[in-house]
Amino acid sequence: MGQVYSWGSNSYGQIGTGSTNTRENPREWSQNVLNNTNIVHLTCGVRFTLALSDAGNVYRVGQLGNDTKYYPTLLK
């Protein structure tokens, strides 16, 4: 599976670890949320991260517009 690990500044939940705590060490995105989805590509912005699965689904964390997600959420 394409696992996602993230760390760093996290003021907007953009590293997808379920909180806004800054992480100094890599932490895996929750597989309970991704349901063993195979992530093949990431795009990161200042306040968000987008993840593309091998099935063509896009997941997001962080702030997009006025909406903030702290766990990976499927875009519809």
Side-chain angles (χ1 to χ4, degrees), residues 1-35:
M1 287 288 140
Q3 298 168 321
V4 178
Y5 289 83
S6 56
W7 64 97
S9 179
N10 194 31
S11 300
Y12 300 92
Q14 66 267 38
I15 64 171
T17 57
S19 73
T20 57
N21 295 334
T22 295
R23 301 284 179 183
E24 294 183 12
N25 298 304
R27 183 169 175 177
E28 185 177 9
W29 280 17
S30 173
Q31 282 299 316
N32 293 334
V33 175
L34 292 175
N35 296 316

Side-chain angles (χ1 to χ4, degrees), residues 40-56:
V40 295
H41 188 77
L42 293 173
T43 298
C44 302
V46 174
R47 296 182 179 183
F48 66 91
T49 301
L50 300 175
L52 176 66
S53 75
D54 61 353

